[in-house]
Amino acid sequence: MLRLDICAYNSRLASLVRFGESLSAWALFLELHRHRTDLDPYTFTPVLKACSSLPHPPNPGEQVHGVMIKTGSDQGTVSKTALVDMYSKCRLLCGSVKAFGELESKDVVSWNAMLSSFLSHGLVKDAICMFERMKEEEVEWNEFTMCSMLKACTMSRASSQGKQVHGMMVKMGRDFVVLGTSLIDFYSSVQDIDEAIKVYSSLGESNDGVMCNSMIAGCVKNKRYKEAFEIMCSMRPNVVALTTALAACSENSDLWIGRQIHCMAARLGFTLDTQLCNSLLDMYAKCGKVANSETLFHCIPQKDVISWTAMIDAYRVHGYGLQAFMLFNKMGESHDGVPPNSVTLLAVLSACGHSGLVEQGRACFGLAQEKYNLVVYPKHYACFIDSLGRAGYMEEAWSVFVEMAEEKHMGHSAEVWAALLNACRLNGDISKGEYVAKHLLELEPNNPGNYVIIRNFYAAIGRWDLVEETRILMSKRGIKKEAGGSWVSSFNSGIVQNFVD
């Protein structure tokens, strides 16, 4: 170890991380830390990148940060930017903000890292404020900045702001080949599909596979099937393109189009692809064809956890709680050896709860912790409490609620309080219900859904005066109940038929 220059090891660390060998990079870093005292910022930068994908709890990135402070390697733009990125990917936003604030000289990469951090945490407004600060400090933007802003506009459905970003790109002469996919995603999300098609057409031969896949998904999502299949005709459809189109079909419940894509996948020999089959399974389930989902599920040669979860969820949606429970039991015992994850557990608990299968729900809850060693989150407790309340087991629901805080040392989230209030409503428990309603409002005073649950509770116990008080409180706080919606998908079947023929 002492014979080689530290630059050689820094290069080796960077190569390992670049090729996804995070564990090997971590092992090499530990060895270097034990034997050398000349570690520099370029040693730590790739290691910080590897930390976000390391399975060690607690986050080793914080330990690396501590070593950097001891060695004085935490100063400088490169080191601080790497810390911003690491904390963001490890879901520690406070660390990202602090590291960014300590930067004395911020370059465009630093600003982009902070923008990306806010967006990855769903904080669109903060990302836009960060962009405004960039303008104020006259930071020269690059393509990554523009992509981040388009993503922010896509997430917030901010049509006018996204068009302004597009205009800035035109004015500054930015590379549309790099930004084309982001623009297409943005215009598709705000239902301006004609503008998305213009962007796609303007790039001509520069369109790559990713951009084509994005354009196909956008067309199907906006029910422009003719254009979607014209793009498919102009390229050789790949698994990603068909999977993306199927996701859009699932969202719009377009069974007929989904079936045509299934036929196309079969003709091209893609039906052995697990990811594509998962999308087909989900599409049929969301279109009400659970029997087709079952057939597909049994034909998938290599089922992954998504396959099992999608089938369990399909049973849940269609009210087949017992089938969902039985399939959950088969997971760990199957020849694939696929253990469930937290999403699987949530699906099966919900399925059992809505089918009145309390004993099966209890069994799933126990199996998750004892057999599969799954981490049980508040959303799982909320689902379990809701199922107990629906079945009339109010005291047990309350015991589970208390156990979360006393034995599991887990805080009660709003969804847990809401589930317990619903249980109180169904079982006519006035004293507990009033206590829960008070805490729910304190926890989330601006969530319109909570007010609806509270009003339903007061109505169920005959307290119409409190129903009116809750309505007045909503009005004073400017909170409005979100309107429901209904839509029917329609399309010209001849478009796809011509393609298939």
Side-chain angles (χ1 to χ4, degrees):
M1 297 292 290
L2 297 175
R3 294 178 185 176
L4 292 179
D5 186 87
I6 190 63
C7 293
Y9 286 106
N10 291 348
S11 177
R12 176 63 178 157
L13 280 168
S15 296
L16 287 170
V17 174
R18 191 180 304 117
F19 288 101
E21 299 289 340
S22 297
L23 287 172
S24 299
W26 179 251
L28 178 57
F29 169 73
L30 293 178
E31 195 69 20
L32 287 169
H33 183 233
R34 279 194 290 266
H35 292 89
R36 302 188 70 120
T37 59
D38 57 346
L39 305 184
D40 60 25
Y42 295 98
T43 311
F44 292 100
T45 302
V47 174
L48 286 171
K49 188 173 182 181
C51 286
S52 59
S53 56
L54 288 173
H56 303 151
N59 172 29
E62 293 177 296
Q63 298 172 19
V64 175
H65 189 183
V67 177
M68 291 174 71
I69 294 171
K70 288 181 180 179
T71 59
S73 299
D74 65 320
Q75 302 303 313
T77 304
V78 174
S79 298
K80 290 291 185 186
T81 302
L83 285 167
V84 170
D85 184 63
M86 180 275 294
Y87 278 118
S88 172
K89 290 178 178 175
C90 293
R91 311 302 297 170
L92 298 169
L93 181 62
C94 291
S96 289
V97 173
K98 186 177 180 181
F100 183 79
E102 292 171 354
L103 267 166
E104 294 181 4
S105 177
K106 301 179 179 72
D107 60 11
V108 67
V109 179
S110 310
W111 286 94
N112 288 341
M114 198 64 241
L115 268 175
S116 180
S117 180
F118 281 130
L119 289 175
S120 65
H121 286 79
L123 301 173
V124 177
K125 290 182 179 178
D126 295 272
I128 293 173
C129 288
M130 184 65 60
F131 183 66
E132 293 297 328
R133 282 182 59 191
M134 289 181 72
K135 289 198 290 185
E136 290 172 4
E137 299 191 21
E138 298 182 349
V139 180
E140 186 177 350
W141 314 312
N142 60 15
E143 280 74 16
F144 190 89
T145 316
M146 298 296 183
C147 280
S148 295
M149 287 315 300
L150 284 171
K151 183 179 179 182
C153 294
T154 301
M155 291 168 67
S156 60
R157 301 293 192 270
S159 178
S160 59
Q161 289 90 336
K163 289 177 180 178
Q164 289 174 26
V165 174
H166 189 179
M168 290 161 57
M169 291 161 53
V170 173
K171 185 178 179 181
M172 297 171 65
R174 293 300 182 184
D175 187 354
F176 274 65
V177 175
V178 175
L179 297 165
T181 302
S182 297
L183 276 170
I184 289 168
D185 288 340
F186 161 69
Y187 281 119
S188 298
S189 70
V190 298
Q191 297 180 338
D192 193 350
I193 193 65
D194 289 322
E195 198 62 37
I197 292 170
K198 283 182 185 178
V199 172
Y200 179 81
S201 301
S202 67
L203 295 172
E205 296 181 358
S206 301
N207 295 325
D208 59 11
V210 176
M211 204 177 299
C212 291
N213 295 341
S214 180
M215 192 67 251
I216 291 167
C219 288
V220 175
K221 186 175 183 180
N222 287 272
K223 301 173 186 171
R224 296 288 286 272
Y225 303 111
K226 178 181 178 181
E227 289 85 350
F229 281 90
E230 281 177 353
I231 295 170
M232 283 190 184
C233 286
S234 67
M235 59 181 283
R236 177 173 176 80
N238 53 50
V239 171
V240 176
L242 298 181
T243 303
T244 306
L246 281 168
C249 289
S250 297
E251 187 176 329
N252 290 328
S253 297
D254 286 320
L255 177 61
W256 201 85
I257 295 294
R259 278 177 167 163
Q260 306 315 307
I261 294 173
H262 189 177
C263 292
M264 195 186 305
R267 192 171 63 191
L268 295 170
F270 293 155
T271 50
L272 295 179
D273 183 86
T274 301
Q275 186 180 0
L276 179 67
C277 288
N278 292 343
S279 295
L280 280 168
L281 190 158
D282 182 65
M283 182 275 297
Y284 279 120
K286 287 179 178 174
C287 292
K289 300 294 181 181
V290 70
N292 296 67
S293 295
E294 281 182 321
T295 302
L296 265 168
F297 175 76
H298 293 303
C299 292
I300 298 175
Q302 292 183 325
K303 300 178 184 67
D304 58 13
V305 68
I306 299 173
S307 311
W308 289 88
T309 304
M311 193 62 241
I312 288 172
D313 195 57
Y315 285 136
R316 176 192 69 83
V317 170
H318 292 83
Y320 300 129
L322 187 59
Q323 288 88 330
F325 171 72
M326 292 169 64
L327 192 61
F328 179 80
N329 281 340
K330 288 180 181 177
M331 278 191 73
E333 300 169 2
S334 67
H335 69 277
D336 300 314
V338 180
N341 59 19
S342 61
V343 181
T344 317
L345 176 61
L346 190 64
V348 72
L349 284 174
S350 179
C352 292
H354 284 82
S355 298
L357 304 174
V358 180
E359 291 297 329
Q360 288 84 347
R362 288 196 194 102
C364 291
F365 213 70
L367 278 173
Q369 299 173 82
E370 296 166 12
K371 183 177 179 179
Y372 298 113
N373 199 28
L374 286 177
V375 177
V376 181
Y377 295 102
K379 58 188 177 183
H380 298 110
Y381 277 98
C383 195
F384 188 43
I385 287 170
D386 182 67
S387 66
L388 291 171
R390 287 171 183 271
Y393 295 95
M394 184 61 217
E395 290 305 317
E396 185 178 351
W398 182 260
S399 297
V400 172
F401 175 79
V402 173
E403 177 190 301
M404 284 182 66
E406 293 182 353
E407 296 183 21
K408 303 297 181 180
H409 306 290
M410 189 181 297
H412 296 132
S413 65
E415 56 194 347
V416 175
W417 286 103
L420 189 61
L421 182 58
N422 192 51
C424 293
R425 176 182 67 83
L426 293 170
N427 293 275
D429 196 321
I430 298 174
S431 60
K432 288 187 177 70
E434 290 177 336
Y435 169 80
V436 174
K438 177 184 174 183
H439 282 79
L440 182 59
L441 272 188
E442 289 176 355
L443 188 62
E444 280 190 352
N446 297 318
N447 186 343
N450 293 339
Y451 289 87
V452 174
I453 297 171
I454 290 169
R455 284 168 60 182
N456 289 343
F457 165 71
Y458 287 137
I461 63 174
R463 292 296 305 271
W464 297 102
D465 56 327
L466 294 178
V467 171
E468 182 62 17
E469 278 185 25
T470 306
R471 187 192 66 77
I472 294 170
L473 182 61
M474 285 182 71
S475 180
K476 285 181 179 179
R477 294 180 176 178
I479 299 168
K480 294 182 179 180
K481 178 181 176 292
E482 294 180 1
S486 177
W487 49 265
V488 178
S489 172
S490 61
F491 52 84
N492 183 355
S493 61
I495 292 169
V496 184
Q497 191 61 51
N498 289 337
F499 175 82
V500 174
D501 292 342

